[in-house]
């Protein structure tokens, strides 16, 4: 059989190889590197094509495409969010992504992104907290202890210096799982019986739940002055976690307003309620936290530029390693006009 040419082969990072790569680099180190990569791309935000993700919503979940380009590379992610999957022993979120060369249109990388999305989401949270949380923040409350929780805690530790994480979930088994996974990783881990107990003494409060409904995970009386809220769970219309009164007294920071107003916590507010785009803070075009007593909130829904940054970083990290396979994905006939002939000539090989 004729072997495929070099032009036909595209690096593919499987789940197994993504895990190998992450362990090779180190989980916390990988999230530090992703934080830097995402921050660098946020600084050049105007260079990117931007659009709200293309979403197909149903009563039980959502399937989305998240595309962007900086004129040199094009990237997209396919991702779903199905909260009911867990009852079938399935992941709530799964994803894969592609990075391509704009000049030729050829793909440069195909990668799993279920694990990579967890890493980049946590890295983005830590990046936001670096710019918005109190400087001396050392205690974090983690409300919602599902698949994302450990990544969030370790990213905040590695990037922001968090020393204690206080865990709460309506399912005690999720808290036990999270506490066990974080044991021995340099954090004081406190398992809590209520949300009220979890936020006690916390300067950063992360909410990360998956129910597809309007919910009140955090009420106004639980949020004291000077706290930074990292609202990760909001990801589709009809799903929120925070009481509206919290939003009304917080400085709100978002990724891309046209998307966040559809999917984020701010869907509960008027369409013209003022928000600040996080990239503007990072680029020095807008203030972040303005005083020690201010409540800040990062209304995180995830945006395509973060996935683009993650894919580019992974492609760079693959150099000199064996943590990928080469897939025969691109037809490469001897004559670009003779695709039919390529098929015919393959007969008998």
């Amino acid at each position: 059989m004729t072997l495929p040419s070099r032009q036909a082969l595209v690096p593919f990072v499987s789940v197994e190889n993504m895990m190998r790569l992450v362990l090779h680099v180190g989980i916390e180190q990988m999230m530090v590197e992703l934080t830097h990569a995402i921050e660098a791309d946020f600084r050049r935000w105007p260079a990117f094509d931007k659009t709200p993700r293309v979403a197909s919503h149903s009563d039980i979940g959502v399937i989305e495409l998240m595309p962007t380009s900086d004129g040199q590379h094009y990237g997209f992610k396919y991702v779903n969010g199905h909260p009911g999957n867990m009852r079938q022993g399935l992941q709530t979120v799964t994803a894969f992504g592609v990075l391509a060369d704009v000049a030729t249109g050829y793909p440069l990388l195909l990668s799993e992104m279920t694990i990579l999305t967890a890493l980049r989401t946590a890295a983005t949270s830590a990046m936001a907290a670096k710019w918005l949380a109190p400087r001396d923040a050392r205690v974090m409350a983690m409300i919602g202890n599902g698949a994302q929780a450990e990544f969030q805690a370790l990213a905040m530790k590695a990037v922001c210096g968090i020393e204690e994480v206080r865990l709460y979930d309506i399912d005690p088994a999720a808290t036990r799982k999270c506490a066990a996974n974080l044991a021995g990783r340099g954090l004081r881990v406190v398992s809590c019986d209520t949300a009220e107990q979890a936020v006690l003494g916390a300067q950063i409060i992360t909410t990360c739940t998956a129910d597809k409904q309007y919910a009140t995970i955090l009420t106004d009386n639980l949020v004291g002055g000077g706290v930074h809220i990292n609202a990760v769970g909001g990801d589709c219309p009809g799903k929120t976690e925070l009481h509206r009164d919290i939003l009304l007294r917080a400085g709100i920071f978002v990724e891309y307003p046209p998307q966040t107003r559809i999917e984020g916590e701010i869907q509960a507010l008027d369409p013209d309620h003022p928000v600040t785009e996080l990239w503007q803070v990072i680029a020095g075009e807008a203030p972040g936290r303005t005083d020690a007593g201010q409540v800040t909130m990062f209304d995180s829904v995830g945006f395509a530029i973060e996935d683009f940054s993650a894919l580019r970083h992974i492609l760079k990290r693959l150099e000199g390693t064996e943590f990928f396979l080469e897939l025969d994905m691109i037809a490469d006939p001897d004559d670009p006009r003779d695709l039919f002939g390529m098929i015919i000539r393959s007969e008998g090989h």
Side-chain angles (χ1 to χ4, degrees):
M1 182 175 179
T2 303
L3 293 176
S5 69
R6 292 302 309 169
Q7 286 76 20
L9 300 176
V10 177
F12 166 62
V13 183
S14 65
V15 172
E16 179 184 6
N17 274 325
M18 183 63 75
M19 293 190 294
R20 292 174 64 207
L21 176 62
V22 170
L23 291 174
H24 172 74
V25 174
I27 295 173
E28 291 187 32
Q29 178 61 28
M30 178 63 84
M31 286 195 284
V32 168
E33 292 179 7
L34 287 171
T35 299
H36 292 158
I38 295 166
E39 186 172 273
D41 281 339
F42 268 52
R43 290 184 192 278
R44 60 189 191 102
W45 188 269
F48 286 89
D49 295 336
K50 292 171 284 291
T51 184
R53 48 189 157 207
V54 182
S56 176
H57 294 282
S58 69
D59 292 339
I60 57 174
V62 63
I63 295 173
E64 300 169 326
L65 290 178
M66 301 173 64
T68 191
S69 173
D70 67 351
Q72 292 185 306
H73 295 98
Y74 171 90
F76 77 84
K77 182 173 77 175
Y78 166 99
V79 62
N80 77 295
H82 285 68
N85 276 3
M86 191 175 65
R87 291 190 291 274
Q88 306 174 56
L90 303 175
Q91 289 282 293
T92 298
V93 175
T94 66
F96 68 88
V98 171
L99 187 70
D101 175 36
V102 168
T104 63
Y106 274 40
L108 301 171
L109 176 69
L110 171 64
S111 179
E112 83 78 38
M113 289 196 74
T114 306
I115 293 169
L116 187 55
T117 294
L119 290 163
R120 76 85 164 133
T121 300
T124 303
S125 293
M127 178 186 72
K130 171 185 165 184
W131 288 92
L132 302 175
R135 293 279 183 184
D136 60 348
R138 294 295 177 266
V139 180
M140 168 185 172
M142 186 75 230
I143 300 176
N145 301 156
Q148 176 66 207
E150 296 91 340
F151 296 92
Q152 290 284 329
L154 291 176
M156 291 291 185
K157 171 181 177 285
V159 176
C160 302
I162 291 301
E163 297 172 353
E164 177 177 308
V165 60
R166 303 175 64 82
L167 306 176
Y168 171 70
D169 195 290
I170 57 173
D171 181 0
T175 300
R176 288 194 295 270
K177 176 272 303 181
C178 188
N181 285 341
L182 291 175
R185 294 192 174 274
L187 284 166
R188 289 193 302 275
V189 179
V190 181
S191 298
C192 302
D193 297 323
T194 64
E196 291 86 349
Q197 184 184 351
V199 302
L200 192 64
Q203 295 94 23
I204 297 175
I205 301 173
T206 294
T207 58
C208 190
T209 62
D211 286 341
K212 189 177 173 66
Q213 63 180 347
Y214 291 111
T216 304
I217 307 301
L218 203 59
T219 54
D220 188 47
N221 63 303
L222 297 183
V223 179
V227 167
H228 173 64
I229 302 169
N230 180 38
V232 179
D235 57 5
C236 65
K239 180 186 183 310
T240 59
E241 297 177 318
L242 307 184
H243 193 282
R244 188 170 183 271
D245 288 349
I246 298 173
L247 309 182
L248 292 174
R249 68 185 177 97
I252 301 173
F253 299 82
V254 304
E255 290 140 317
Y256 184 57
Q259 179 175 295
T260 310
R261 291 193 190 277
I262 296 171
E263 301 184 348
E265 296 296 322
I266 59 173
Q267 65 185 280
L269 301 177
D270 294 335
D272 60 351
H273 188 89
V275 298
T276 302
E277 295 183 51
L278 184 60
W279 76 267
Q280 295 175 308
V281 177
I282 293 171
E285 297 185 11
R289 173 174 290 274
T290 54
D291 63 75
Q294 184 187 24
V295 174
T296 56
M297 185 189 78
F298 177 45
D299 194 356
S300 168
V301 297
F303 191 62
I305 292 173
E306 298 152 18
D307 300 309
F308 178 96
S309 305
L311 286 167
R312 281 209 312 157
H313 185 68
I314 291 300
L315 181 60
K316 186 185 305 181
R317 262 299 189 174
L318 292 179
E319 294 175 5
T321 77
E322 298 180 351
F323 302 135
F324 64 95
L325 303 172
E326 291 187 319
L327 298 187
D328 181 9
M329 281 185 59
I330 305 299
D332 187 40
D334 296 334
D335 180 348
R337 300 167 297 181
D338 193 16
L339 188 61
F340 183 86
M342 177 184 176
I343 300 172
I344 298 303
R345 287 189 292 275
S346 72
E347 187 176 12
H349 285 288

